[in-house]
Amino acid sequence: MAANPIAELPELLAVASEILDDASGRFVEGLGAPSAVTKGRNDFATELDLELERTVSEGLALRTGIEVHGEEFGGPQLTSGTAWVLDPIDGTFNYSSGHPLSGMLLALVRDGEPVLGLTWLPILGQRYAAMRGGPVLLNGEPLAPLPPGKLADAMIGFGAFNVDSDGRIPGRFRFDLLGPLSRLSSRVRMHGSTGIDLAFTAAGVLGGAIVFGHHPWDNAAGVALVRAAGGVVTDLAGEPWTITSGSVLAAAPGVHEELLEMICTVADPSTAEEG
């Protein structure tokens, strides 16, 4: 741990950006890395996941005095105190297949709230960063806040699914969302990377993103970005997003309301009958 831990967000953001920049070359070199560690059904890590998490975590702890909770090696609890949250390779299936839509995600969380968000997409040459309150920076340049929008005009990022899968949010429910969503927006996109879906939402490339995953290392950085951009972030039930939420619904103002109404209708078919 550093002798003089950094407390100010601008300095923390600058240091974190430097550390991710230093790791970016290795990230690009490793594109196409094969599976090395099986973590469960349809989930794995590459050797580069492990290498990058060690390298970035060590740099952050040394230079900021703040512990890191990483996807591969875990770390401190996140509901209280201050910690970095790191996903060294988001979109691992994409990355291992040589697909360019993958990146590094890093957030600083204080008492369960992300106050810094960084999404580095080295293969695309894009670096998204923000402090609480904004603005969102793309390659160091501030982006305009998100204007209100309409779902009919928006592209929507949609989480991957297997229609036969069980779990917290079953594949059948995810499948049942696609039909109504396609009627309201014919521009549904499935990128295979939560970080990209949320960063593109913060930048206004996407009008919104529906995220079925609950892992904080997947979601915290992007939530920070969307909030800093002036977007709306809840879970799929419309409750305010927290570090323990089981899903993410992030969108521009206006678009979020329409998405939430659609999701609630699918979750409760009687709503459609009453309307």
Side-chain angles (χ1 to χ4, degrees):
M1 181 175 292
N4 298 297
I6 302 168
E8 298 300 322
L9 291 183
E11 190 174 358
L12 286 166
L13 182 61
V15 169
S17 297
E18 290 177 8
I19 291 171
L20 291 185
D21 282 345
D22 289 343
S24 291
R26 189 72 184 96
F27 185 98
V28 173
E29 290 173 4
L31 183 66
S35 168
V37 179
T38 300
K39 300 194 294 182
R41 184 174 180 268
N42 292 328
D43 194 13
F44 64 89
T46 70
E47 287 288 357
L48 199 65
D49 281 276
L50 309 180
E51 175 190 327
L52 287 174
E53 185 164 319
R54 290 190 189 99
T55 301
V56 173
S57 296
E58 288 171 3
L60 288 168
L62 178 65
R63 295 184 61 183
T64 71
I66 299 172
E67 290 184 283
V68 181
H69 186 117
E71 176 178 4
E72 308 306 334
F73 298 114
Q77 62 90 24
L78 299 174
T79 54
S80 64
T82 300
W84 295 103
V85 187
L86 171 66
D87 186 347
I89 301 179
D90 177 62
T92 306
F93 278 89
N94 288 356
Y95 185 82
S96 186
S97 299
H99 194 300
L101 295 186
S102 53
M104 295 183 286
L105 311 181
L106 180 64
L108 183 69
V109 174
R110 285 181 174 165
D111 296 328
E113 289 294 317
V115 295
L116 291 179
L118 302 93
T119 296
W120 255 230
L121 310 177
I123 299 165
L124 300 182
Q126 296 180 351
R127 302 154 65 247
Y128 296 87
M131 294 185 295
R132 181 172 53 190
V136 175
L137 305 176
L138 173 56
N139 295 340
E141 297 297 322
L143 298 177
L146 293 174
K150 295 182 178 179
L151 182 52
D153 302 325
M155 288 195 295
I156 302 299
F158 194 87
F161 69 96
N162 176 339
V163 70
D164 293 325
S165 67
D166 298 319
R168 298 173 312 98
I169 304 178
R172 173 52 62 178
F173 174 75
R174 305 181 190 201
F175 177 80
D176 289 344
L177 288 179
L178 278 174
L181 179 58
S182 70
R183 295 187 185 99
L184 297 171
S185 170
S186 60
R187 303 173 181 88
V188 180
R189 302 290 183 264
M190 194 176 294
H191 295 117
S193 164
T194 297
I196 283 178
D197 282 347
L198 293 175
F200 283 6
T201 297
V205 177
L206 296 175
I210 298 173
V211 177
F212 301 112
H214 67 287
H215 295 302
W217 51 79
D218 288 328
N219 298 335
V223 166
L225 293 176
V226 175
R227 285 177 172 172
V232 182
V233 186
T234 66
D235 64 13
L236 296 187
E239 296 297 322
W241 186 90
T242 72
I243 202 71
T244 59
S245 292
S247 58
V248 183
L249 180 63
V255 178
H256 185 279
E257 289 85 343
E258 291 187 70
L259 282 171
L260 183 58
E261 181 179 2
M262 178 212 71
I263 292 169
C264 290
T265 299
V266 173
D268 181 7
S270 65
T271 304
E273 298 172 4
E274 293 169 3

